[in-house]
Amino acid sequence: MPEPVPLPALHASHAGTWLRDANGATRGCSKGEAIMAAADTPVLLLNAPLVATRLGYPDLSGLDLLELFAFVHPARFCVPTPKGLAHALGLREPESDHKVPELLQEAAGALLETCASPDWAEREGAWSALQSLVRLRWPWAQVLAPHVARPERAEKWLFSRLPEWEEAPDRPPPGQVLIEEPEIEAQLAHLTGAGSERREGQRLYAREVGKVFAPRAKRAAPHLLLAQAGTGIGKTLGYLAPASLWASAARGTVWVSTYTKNLQRQLRGESRRAWPERRADGTQPVVVRKGRENYLCLLNLEDALQGGFGGRAAILAHLVARWAGYSRDGDMIGGDLPGWLGTLFRKRGIAALTDQRGECVYAGCPHYRKCFIERAARASAQADLVIANHALVMINAARGRDHAQRPTRIVFDEGHHVFDAADSTFAAALTGQEAIELRRWIVGPERKNKGRRRGLAARLADVASYDDAGGEAIEAALEAAQALPSDGWLQRLNDGEPYGPLEALLAAVRACTYARDESGGQEAGYGIETEAAGLPGNLIEQAQAARDALAAIRRPLVKLGVRLEAVVEEAPDWLDGQGRARIEGARHSLAWRVDLLQAWEALLDRLGGPADPEFVDWLAVDRSEAREFDVGIHRRWLDPMNPFARVVLEPAHGVMLTSATLRDGDDWQNAIARSGAPHIEVEPMLAHAESPFDYAARAEVLIVTDVKRGDLPALAGAYARLIEAAGGGVLGLFTAVRRLRAVHGRIADRLARAGLPLYAQHVDPIDTGTLVDIFRDDPAASLLGTDALRDGVDVPGRSLRCVVMEQVPWPRPDILHRARRAANGGSAYDDRIIRARLAQAFGRLIRSKDDAGHFVVLSSAFPSRLLGAFPAGTPVIRLTLADALQRVAAGVSGAEAARESEDRQPS
């Protein structure tokens, strides 16, 4: 047992507050007393922002054990709870809240002992980092100093310790091979392992997937498979078996795309059955790829470490630097950086250390050869399997830098989300926030703005000095960009003093939207919108002036792209390989911005003219809690699978969309329409594998009929009593954040006093992934959330034994939904969306053959036609809350429920 650190320790939960003195006495105390104790002397805490929220004192500070853990064990997983910390450090789990302060003292002692140990695996770089943290007055620095010995030799700087990636020759095109069904079955048996349960559904599924990898017979006509695989089929290994065979035989790359980061992590683990961690030559056969905004930008980190960040943000930068030296791949969002680290520092420090807006200077960066993003891109070019997300696959297909690396064999897992991902990817939005980002990319920092962003002139100074025409194009672009919004634009719009043609347009959009709004959103503080039809004359005039201003920016950018191409083709003596790569990167970025400007011009051209039946256009003022944060004009495809089919499907040779909820009941029509197949005249192959789970015996759907809609006290009471009846393990799903917060505020203290901790999105200062980790780790805990928890949450076992929905998840009746509803069958379109959401939510409940539980909907107005969302045979019972509580407390009784269940035929 480690020697406890003799410092006071504080723990606060919804059940109360406990303070332990340095000499070892623990007592309950009031919130005020706890705040005073923390102000008087350094006090040990676990997750200071969460403790501050519980105490209602946002300025609380102290010695946060999570910060110390991140310093001592960077890139190591830890659930940020007392129980999780105890498990991570091999300590005894606290028996009650009263015992937590003692655990904090022991945990601090264990971490300090690790620092003093000669076996500390993460010692490299710690002493140097600590010296910087001492100067920044990090609360832990003085406590740590006696335990971190100065190394005999000076430690290398982080940026010199990181390995460099190596150039590799282009991979040749894949061979044209056929994978036979016996091969697929043998590979599947190998991956599932000797003695594993033989699943006939998985075998049939894997054989169907094999057809996707056959040679293509016709240009722009890929093999397209839509495969629904019920939960428990084992679809991951089902498609990895033929994928691994094809990748080996054809020496090609298969892309597997997901919608959630949770499934990416699961896939990475499953892929180890088919591929080793490294090939014999040291390369990676499996690579996880994400968008640039997910990875640590080393240039941003260097800027932060050298004074670009101040105060607490600077401390975060040094802890991130500690992590960077041990990270597997530099992935900050869903990778091996603890998800809770950024939330300890309140502001968006993590985001500021990534490339959020494509400001990368590529080969112009001094850390280019060590860049995590470039390393992942190069590794994926040589990989057999690339695990990515839907948006990245679509963006890579649309504007990937290397055509030879664009995906041609793609598995879209969580395929029911492909439509939503395409909807976002192929959208256009001319808003103030987007326009000011374009200005910053062209112009760079202005006036007193700090940061490392550099404008076109700084990034391409050598080209401008060498090529007169290129220099003139840069100057013309800088001059034209003055028409774009600049800092303070929202305030100027509010004051009625817009500057320049784009701000004048946004002012007209804002005025028109407020004038027409009938949603009630103004009073409620929500965002408001109006159709881009029948617009006033002044707005149309402003739109034309703005379009002309955008065209004036686009023209010199196009000219600059031509000049950069000429410089590369007729390379001067000074243009080395690094300079060539930097110019190629600049050309790629230019093409992206030119496409953006063309989309904006096309959007403005349509205002005042006839509506384009393929698009939905509207004006919007985005607001949060009555505070405006953006204004603009939006355009979406009525059917975003149109551009998806052209950009992703046509160039591909084989594509599969798979999910447990792909089709609507037994009807494939909607799944086919949302696959993009009708736009390329391909007849998709269809496959269906039923879940092996016995839903009739393992689950019940309870529709509670006596909780009145809009009665918040009744809703909160129902949630509290259901959680008590289940003994925790409840996932509560809400359709509105406001109701979630209201319910949590009413019941959290009551449940905590019963030993049933309650966590919530949009309430607790913890990221969603970490909330799910906490929920999974504690069978007594419950979790409230919104859409992000309805899909992609994998919590098997007793930690999730009841799902509660506050009401039927009706679609939000906005302008875009109204247009799609009118084009797709009216109320039938709504029903398909609702059934899909219900099916996804129900899918959280039963994740393994041993799982059992209840799915509760607190809505008397639950139409029978929606019951097709649930697996066939699942008992469905309409009952009062009192009866539901009895059933939840007693556990599942499928046979009895089946006799009581209502007729499930749609009405």
Side-chain angles (χ1 to χ4, degrees):
M1 182 65 64
E3 187 69 26
V5 171
L7 287 169
L10 173 64
H11 171 62
S13 76
H14 285 291
T17 308
W18 291 265
L19 183 65
R20 184 176 178 85
D21 298 329
N23 60 14
T26 302
R27 68 183 189 281
C29 64
S30 68
K31 292 182 179 180
E33 185 181 355
I35 293 168
M36 290 297 293
D40 289 343
T41 182
V43 62
L44 298 173
L45 306 165
L46 184 67
N47 196 336
L50 182 62
V51 175
T53 299
R54 300 273 168 84
L55 295 178
Y57 186 72
D59 296 327
L60 184 76
S61 63
L63 295 164
D64 194 331
L65 267 297
L66 291 181
E67 292 182 30
L68 180 61
F69 188 93
F71 178 89
V72 177
H73 296 303
R76 188 180 297 189
F77 178 75
C78 172
V79 176
T81 61
K83 175 184 174 183
L85 184 64
H87 289 176
L89 298 177
L91 302 175
R92 289 175 305 184
E93 182 181 326
E95 300 167 2
S96 64
D97 281 329
H98 183 270
K99 293 287 187 179
V100 171
E102 182 179 1
L103 168 71
L104 301 186
Q105 292 176 337
E106 292 175 356
L111 289 166
L112 294 180
E113 279 187 13
T114 299
C115 294
S117 169
D119 300 326
W120 183 19
E122 299 100 336
R123 177 180 298 280
E124 178 70 25
W127 188 85
S128 299
L130 185 58
Q131 306 318 300
S132 298
L133 289 166
V134 168
R135 290 191 291 272
L136 291 169
R137 298 184 180 180
W138 183 39
W140 276 110
Q142 296 299 331
V143 179
L144 266 170
H147 302 273
V148 179
R150 180 170 186 161
E152 294 179 3
R153 290 184 298 177
E155 293 177 325
K156 292 181 179 179
W157 196 33
L158 167 70
F159 300 99
S160 61
R161 296 203 319 265
L162 293 173
E164 293 189 354
W165 48 259
E166 297 179 359
E167 293 285 3
D170 291 339
R171 206 176 195 192
Q176 301 297 314
V177 299
L178 276 173
I179 308 298
E180 302 293 340
E181 289 186 356
E183 294 179 84
I184 294 173
E185 293 199 17
Q187 178 73 341
L188 181 61
H190 169 68
L191 297 185
T192 54
S196 62
E197 177 187 357
R198 180 184 174 92
R199 287 181 271 187
E200 187 64 24
Q202 187 183 43
R203 290 175 57 247
L204 296 173
Y205 175 84
R207 280 163 29 194
E208 290 296 321
V209 177
K211 299 174 183 177
V212 168
F213 297 99
R216 188 172 66 170
K218 182 182 175 184
R219 187 173 181 271
H223 298 292
L224 179 60
L225 171 66
L226 309 183
Q228 176 151 313
T231 307
I233 282 293
K235 67 177 185 298
T236 302
L237 293 180
Y239 58 68
L240 287 182
S244 58
L245 287 172
W246 180 86
S248 175
R251 297 189 178 279
T253 303
V254 178
W255 286 63
V256 176
S257 178
T258 77
Y259 191 71
T260 61
K261 294 181 175 67
N262 181 65
L263 183 55
Q264 284 185 328
R265 287 195 296 268
Q266 179 185 326
L267 261 168
R268 185 67 189 90
E270 296 278 21
S271 70
R272 293 189 177 95
R273 302 189 186 205
W275 288 276
E277 188 71 26
R278 298 275 176 178
R279 300 188 182 104
D281 61 2
T283 58
Q284 297 173 252
V286 179
V287 174
V288 177
R289 279 288 305 276
K290 297 181 180 179
R292 305 184 68 87
E293 69 281 359
N294 289 272
Y295 294 93
L296 173 66
C297 170
L298 294 175
L299 193 55
N300 279 354
L301 177 62
E302 183 183 23
D303 178 65
L305 295 176
Q306 295 184 342
F309 282 14
R312 289 277 294 161
I315 293 170
L316 172 63
H318 282 278
L319 294 179
V320 168
R322 282 279 293 149
W323 161 80
Y326 296 92
S327 173
R328 181 179 64 248
D329 54 11
D331 179 3
M332 302 187 77
I333 314 295
D336 52 14
L337 181 76
W340 41 258
L341 183 60
T343 61
L344 301 180
F345 294 84
R346 294 183 176 85
K347 292 186 179 179
R348 298 177 66 253
I350 294 294
L353 293 171
T354 64
D355 179 9
Q356 289 287 310
R357 288 289 179 171
E359 68 232 33
C360 181
V361 294
Y362 298 97
C365 174
H367 309 301
Y368 181 65
R369 298 286 304 185
K370 301 183 177 188
C371 174
F372 288 114
I373 304 166
E374 294 294 331
R375 184 189 309 280
R378 280 161 175 75
S380 67
Q382 306 295 322
D384 293 342
L385 177 71
V386 177
I387 301 170
N389 58 60
H390 295 349
L392 179 66
V393 169
M394 294 176 198
I395 292 169
N396 214 43
R399 56 172 186 255
R401 292 170 63 189
D402 187 346
H403 287 265
Q405 292 185 25
R406 294 185 181 181
T408 58
R409 276 82 177 174
I410 313 169
V411 174
F412 285 102
D413 203 338
E414 299 180 306
H416 57 281
H417 278 303
V418 168
F419 183 95
D420 298 325
D423 193 25
S424 298
T425 301
F426 300 110
L430 173 50
T431 72
Q433 296 286 6
E434 294 293 325
I436 200 171
E437 284 296 335
L438 178 61
R439 179 190 180 106
R440 289 167 180 164
W441 182 82
I442 296 172
V443 177
E446 298 180 82
R447 295 188 296 275
K448 297 180 180 179
N449 289 346
K450 295 177 64 177
R452 70 159 188 85
R453 286 176 183 247
R454 292 191 287 168
L456 274 179
R459 289 199 298 272
L460 296 172
D462 51 356
V463 174
S465 63
Y466 168 77
D467 184 81
D468 290 342
E472 291 170 2
I474 291 173
E475 288 300 322
L478 291 175
E479 183 177 351
Q482 300 303 315
L484 293 167
S486 58
D487 290 339
W489 67 275
L490 262 175
Q491 186 60 50
R492 287 193 293 275
L493 262 59
N494 190 55
D495 295 341
E497 299 175 354
Y499 178 78
L502 269 298
E503 288 189 16
L505 169 64
L506 295 174
V509 166
R510 179 177 182 270
C512 181
T513 306
Y514 272 106
R516 293 179 168 194
D517 176 55
E518 298 182 64
S519 67
Q522 289 188 44
E523 291 73 23
Y526 304 139
I528 57 175
E529 61 183 24
T530 187
E531 291 177 319
L535 298 173
N538 74 304
L539 194 155
I540 296 171
E541 290 176 8
Q542 300 288 5
Q544 294 310 303
R547 186 193 64 80
D548 293 343
L550 294 175
I553 300 170
R554 175 177 50 83
R555 285 191 290 268
L557 294 183
V558 171
K559 182 180 178 181
L560 178 59
V562 172
R563 295 313 307 159
L564 292 179
E565 184 176 357
V567 169
V568 171
E569 289 180 355
E570 303 170 11
D573 295 339
W574 54 264
L575 188 64
D576 56 11
Q578 186 174 0
R580 185 185 296 271
R582 178 169 50 81
I583 291 177
E584 287 292 348
R587 287 176 59 196
H588 175 72
S589 296
L590 274 171
W592 173 11
R593 269 67 183 198
V594 168
D595 288 346
L596 177 66
L597 285 163
Q598 287 176 328
W600 286 352
E601 290 174 57
L603 177 59
L604 295 179
D605 268 335
R606 284 288 177 185
L607 295 184
D612 188 328
E614 289 195 316
F615 295 98
V616 181
D617 299 341
W618 72 94
L619 318 180
V621 177
D622 294 324
R623 308 195 308 166
S624 176
E625 297 180 351
R627 184 184 67 83
E628 292 180 19
F629 61 89
D630 209 359
V631 178
I633 309 170
H634 298 259
R635 163 168 285 189
R636 295 287 180 101
W637 284 83
L638 185 64
D639 181 4
M641 303 315 289
N642 185 328
F644 171 83
R646 186 177 66 255
V647 170
V648 179
L649 294 185
E650 281 189 359
H653 289 241
V655 177
M656 177 175 76
L657 278 69
T658 186
S659 166
T661 56
L662 204 58
R663 64 182 189 178
D664 183 27
D666 296 327
D667 184 8
W668 281 104
Q669 182 179 351
N670 188 55
I672 293 171
R674 292 168 76 94
S675 72
H679 297 290
I680 56 172
E681 299 180 354
V682 166
E683 190 69 30
M685 299 175 284
L686 306 176
H688 176 233
E690 288 283 358
S691 171
F693 297 153
D694 185 0
Y695 290 107
R698 309 294 297 178
E700 293 177 351
V701 176
L702 308 179
I703 300 175
V704 175
T705 59
D706 58 346
V707 176
K708 186 178 179 182
R709 184 174 182 179
D711 187 342
L712 268 177
L715 180 66
Y719 264 98
R721 295 172 69 188
L722 284 165
I723 292 170
E724 289 166 343
V730 173
L731 176 64
L733 299 175
F734 287 75
T735 58
V737 174
R738 180 178 56 84
R739 287 193 293 276
L740 181 156
R741 287 173 171 163
V743 167
H744 179 273
R746 287 173 179 265
I747 68 176
D749 291 0
R750 162 183 168 179
L751 293 171
R753 288 191 291 270
L756 301 172
L758 180 65
Y759 298 90
Q761 272 185 304
H762 309 290
V763 176
D764 294 315
I766 304 174
D767 66 288
T768 301
T770 300
L771 283 172
V772 174
D773 288 336
I774 294 171
F775 178 52
R776 183 186 293 111
D777 192 54
D778 186 356
S782 295
L783 176 60
L784 307 182
T786 53
D787 289 355
L789 297 182
R790 191 180 60 220
D791 206 1
V793 173
D794 186 22
V795 182
R798 280 192 51 75
S799 287
L800 201 171
R801 49 195 180 271
C802 183
V803 175
V804 181
M805 297 194 77
E806 50 135 354
Q807 64 176 34
V808 176
W810 306 104
R812 183 168 171 260
D814 56 22
I815 290 170
L816 179 61
H817 173 75
R818 187 176 68 198
R820 288 178 176 160
R821 185 180 190 273
N824 290 281
S827 60
Y829 177 72
D830 286 352
D831 289 350
R832 287 195 297 270
I833 291 174
I834 297 167
R835 281 194 293 267
R837 292 176 177 176
L838 289 169
Q840 291 153 22
F842 181 86
R844 304 309 100 214
L845 183 63
I846 308 293
R847 307 299 298 172
S848 71
K849 63 183 178 64
D850 297 322
D851 284 358
H854 294 87
F855 185 88
V856 183
V857 184
L858 301 174
S859 173
S860 58
F862 192 103
S864 296
R865 66 180 184 275
L866 302 179
L867 296 177
F870 306 115
T874 307
V876 179
I877 312 168
R878 295 183 188 267
L879 71 182
T880 64
L881 177 61
D883 290 338
L885 292 171
Q886 290 183 0
R887 301 196 76 87
V888 169
V892 173
S893 178
E896 178 187 351
R899 290 194 295 271
E900 299 178 19
S901 63
E902 62 184 62
D903 180 10
R904 299 180 69 251
Q905 296 299 316
S907 61

